[in-house]
Amino acid sequence: MTEVFKMDAPATDRRLDDMVQGLVGAPLDRPEGPLKVTGQATYANEWQVENMAHGVMVRAPGPSGRVVLSNRDDVAAMPGVLAVIQDERLLRNPAQGKANEAPVQGPHHAAYMGQLIAVVVAETFEQARHAAQSVKVTLENAEVVAVTSDTAAVEPQESKTLDQGDLETAMREAAHTVDATYTTPSHSSTPMEPHASIATWEGEDLILRGSYQMLKYNRNELADSLGIHPDRVRMLAPYVGGGFGSKLGIAPEAVAAAIAAREVGRPVSVALHRQQVYEATMRRSDTRQRIRLAADAEGRLIGLGHDALVSNLPGETFAEPVLQASHFLYAGANRKMSMDLARVHRLCCGSVRAPGEAVGVTVFESAMDELAQQIGMDPVELRRRNIPDKDPESGKPFSSRRFEDALDSGAKIFGWADRPGVKERREGEWLIGYGMASAARVNVLMESQARVTLTPQGTARVETDMTDIGTGTYAILGQIAGDMLGLPRDAVEVVLGDTSLPPAAGSGGSWGASSSGTSVYLACQAIRQQLAERLEVSENDLTLKDGRATFDNQTRGLADILQNDEIVKLGHVEAGETSEAVRQATFGAYFAEVAVHAATGETRVRRMHGTFAAGRILNAKTARSQCLGGMTFGIGMALTEELAFDPRDGHVANHNLAEYHIPVNADVPQLTVELLEERDDWANPMQAKGIGELGICGAGAAILNAIYNATGVRVRDYPATLDKVIAGM
Amino acid sequence: MKTELTINGTQHKLELDPRTTLLDALRHHLGLTGSKKGCDHGQCGACTVMVNGRRINSCLTLACMHDGDEITTIEGIGQPDNLSPLQQAFISQDGFQCGYCTPGQICSATAMLEEIAEGWPSHATEDINDRPSLTVDEIAERMSGNLCRCAAYPNIVEAIRKTAEESA
């Protein structure tokens, strides 16, 4: 029985700093790299499964009504068709992250246009696709339902309401005030790999090869959806082609594949096509956000307000947590916040990279720029002046927080001192502007387990159902184990993405690396302890390097110490009192230079820099790449990304990659990233914090603030497309 | 429909549904899953392969249109123990994260370097009468048909630039 380690006290011993193998923190290549660059890494829909049939899903053509497949028999008779399935257990929408149970089920009533209401199975993909496209779906007794927040029923979220001090009076008495309302549209995660599953039944047991981020929850969600015991389900996802939140919860294609495979008595693959990914996975809620800022003559905030309207399908509890960082990023005694949730019949809202802060900090940072402009103060100085001593609402201390250092260092690296005045710099037809914004994201530790085996051959194996969705899990878990056990990186094998392995936290909320990393650390710590006991020394006096143990002025090889035994230990971490005792978050600052075309309003990002502080960095190369990715999401949010809905029926009008504009290579300059050295003893025994989402939490504001600096145009309706910029010029 | 394809130097005789795209022929019928399906509409570039030396989106063309053609996929560019210089550079520069767009990026970049060597201009070329040089802008422009949501773009550009520099 392995003890559960609860993070109840700060880990001030900083044991990783004592290790001498030199792996943790180093910018090492991803060990799975050779497989990925040669196309040999196996993603969900790439397993070679014998006798596999193909399923293609069918969509609802409207947002309401009873679903009737009016030519079902004709379709069933088409060449190659094996089944047309509209089982009660099909999902209305994906499960929310960590749901751990089935989401709303039932394909007989449409709740949004694009809902997946049936699956057609055929011998070949071509036959299945043709048959699925041939299904005539009618919606009977359809009602007029709200598809935009303007006409929808709105539910105040009482638990999100804050009223501290007296913001109204502060706004009246302040030397400077901003009261601005911003809007952000819905966003799509848009991972490059569309959602796909291959289901294979072996008797009563189901093997599901899927593309998922959090397998221990996904297994339970899938089992609950099917009405079977979770022990009957094994999920495999060793490689996931991006997730960004859209693969957190079990999704319609997995349940459809499992039901279909049962019905036709063969393995079935169901892959969503790109339009279905846009129409029926998850969206980030659209938001309307009113920001109020009240500052004294020196730019010190005496009050701030953040009121948000978000949306979701009826019955869904997820409400985009846009206020999350507003609670602690800046000081100000008088604070007022609220959130309303509009019930709209559009595809489900859930987590998209950095739910909450991605749009919440971005909008708040735009408003802070308005305040700096009004006061006539350097925007960096305005932020610096408003860094609170302690959490301004709870009064709790912060854990590590190199926020001011990030502002200062980022400004220096970027050359912020050289920034032009508003509409001051022009190069030919291009107006040049600089902008900046702060970055902030909450930090979370989640329960996670991993098994580590040390062999007498001087190798180790790390096993957990953790996933690597591009985040670098394969790299960092090997680095942690290698450092702790004194093994070269290549001597550590990391096995992931299989629910038959110890359950991990999963990839979400930026907690994956620190949570699953801690479980590996703990397992290795237990192995070190056992080695020390065998050698009759204190674990603290044991130095492990290159497969050899040094202690008491002697050195012995692992084979000699272990004889023929392996040491196998399980690491198991849970959050503890440090999650409550302090305010834990990651911080940073973005700086951007844009060129806005004087005649067309087109914005090009010329330079962009981010400085981030996220505790101990586990791999400088993969951590930097995470930041590049986040900042690029920010470029998309600032300039192009918007799910466009038809206001009549909630139809996603731009449900493809040619019309939902994620940044392409030419839209992204050679971004630069600085990672500050930091240890957060309160976070976990590795002193590491999450970094997967920090790069997006405010990034877009740096660009819109730069557009203002270049043109004098303040776009309050994201994204800043040409029409909005040129209208103000 | 009978179709003969030469893929990575090996001849394959296939009997395919005429609706089968070149991409699906590779993935479903030949077990060559290195070419990825990201959109199936020619919008993302994940399925990029080379046909008779030129890069194309294999999802946008039917297999039966390529009877007799020479096709190079990522599997023909290198293997884990025998990487091409570009593949190695993608690893060193961290030119990918999830890895799903990566084979397409590498096929695309391999053909793109040939296009530059042959002097083809692009939107980013300063003077179309001059030979294009391998600037960041040129590479970014020519690689913009290959989307990467993880956004490894700066690293992809660096990997391509370094590879070209070292082979020059």
Side-chain angles (χ1 to χ4, degrees), chain A residues 374-451:
Chain A
Q374 194 188 122
I375 303 172
M377 179 178 277
D378 178 350
V380 172
E381 180 56 27
L382 176 67
R383 271 105 178 152
R384 203 192 277 114
R385 247 171 230 201
N386 286 292
I387 298 174
D389 298 333
K390 53 190 188 202
D391 184 300
E393 292 169 18
S394 69
K396 290 175 185 174
F398 284 90
S399 62
S400 69
R401 181 181 49 154
R402 295 194 66 189
F403 181 26
E404 189 169 5
D405 293 340
L407 289 165
D408 293 345
S409 183
K412 199 171 164 198
I413 288 171
F414 180 79
W416 180 248
D418 178 41
R419 80 183 190 286
V422 177
K423 291 175 75 171
E424 203 176 78
R425 193 170 293 173
R426 183 171 180 139
E427 293 175 11
E429 293 182 326
W430 295 92
L431 310 176
I432 312 301
Y434 286 12
M436 63 80 54
S438 304
R441 174 72 173 155
V442 293
N443 184 66
V444 181
L445 179 66
M446 298 290 289
E447 182 180 8
S448 205
Q449 299 184 46
R451 180 169 58 230

Side-chain angles (χ1 to χ4, degrees), chain A residues 69-202:
Chain A
L69 311 184
S70 48
N71 63 343
R72 185 185 183 126
D73 293 344
D74 296 341
V75 172
M78 286 177 71
V81 172
L82 301 170
V84 180
I85 298 168
Q86 209 190 5
D87 190 286
E88 280 300 336
R89 295 169 295 175
L90 290 176
L91 305 185
R92 180 186 78 167
N93 48 261
Q96 297 289 347
K98 297 189 286 154
N100 221 25
E101 61 183 14
V104 176
Q105 293 172 275
H108 295 289
H109 189 86
Y112 60 97
M113 187 156 174
Q115 181 183 331
L116 299 170
I117 44 81
V119 59
V120 179
V121 188
E123 289 286 347
T124 70
F125 172 68
E126 289 74 21
Q127 290 167 334
R129 181 179 57 191
H130 184 201
Q133 287 170 346
S134 301
V135 175
K136 288 196 175 71
V137 184
T138 50
L139 297 171
E140 293 181 345
N141 303 320
E143 294 167 12
V144 175
V145 292
V147 295
T148 74
S149 296
D150 298 337
T151 54
V154 170
E155 297 168 6
Q157 305 291 292
E158 306 291 351
S159 64
K160 304 284 175 67
T161 303
L162 172 81
D163 197 351
Q164 177 179 310
D166 182 354
L167 179 62
E168 277 73 20
T169 302
M171 288 291 285
R172 273 197 306 278
E173 294 175 354
H176 303 282
T177 60
V178 169
D179 184 346
T181 299
Y182 282 75
T183 53
T184 62
S186 293
H187 299 132
S188 168
S189 290
T190 309
M192 293 313 298
E193 179 203 20
H195 300 55
S197 290
I198 297 175
T200 306
W201 288 91
E202 292 176 355

Side-chain angles (χ1 to χ4, degrees), chain B residues 27-151:
Chain B
R27 287 173 65 85
H28 295 163
H29 298 276
L30 294 162
L32 294 170
T33 56
S35 306
K36 305 303 182 192
K37 186 182 284 191
C39 69
D40 222 7
H41 283 71
Q43 298 170 340
C44 76
C47 66
T48 305
V49 301
M50 286 177 276
V51 175
N52 303 328
R54 285 184 60 175
R55 53 178 170 165
I56 66 162
N57 290 324
S58 62
C59 74
L60 271 193
T61 189
L62 298 171
C64 60
M65 294 159 68
H66 293 282
D67 197 39
D69 280 349
E70 300 247 358
I71 293 150
T72 305
T73 69
I74 190 70
E75 289 89 350
I77 289 181
Q79 296 77 45
D81 54 359
N82 181 28
L83 299 170
S84 79
L86 196 57
Q87 288 172 320
Q88 182 55 54
F90 265 68
I91 296 173
S92 315
Q93 298 299 320
D94 215 27
F96 58 91
Q97 293 179 38
C98 81
Y100 198 76
C101 74
T102 314
Q105 300 276 0
I106 290 172
C107 283
S108 189
T110 302
M112 183 274 283
L113 288 172
E114 285 299 312
E115 292 160 16
I116 290 211
E118 289 167 13
W120 297 17
S122 84
H123 168 70
T125 308
E126 292 277 325
D127 181 348
I128 59 165
N129 295 311
D130 285 346
R131 292 194 72 76
S133 53
L134 264 174
T135 60
V136 166
D137 286 350
E138 278 284 5
I139 296 171
E141 170 64 25
R142 290 164 190 263
M143 291 301 293
S144 282
N146 291 84
L147 304 183
C148 171
R149 185 56 154 169
C150 300

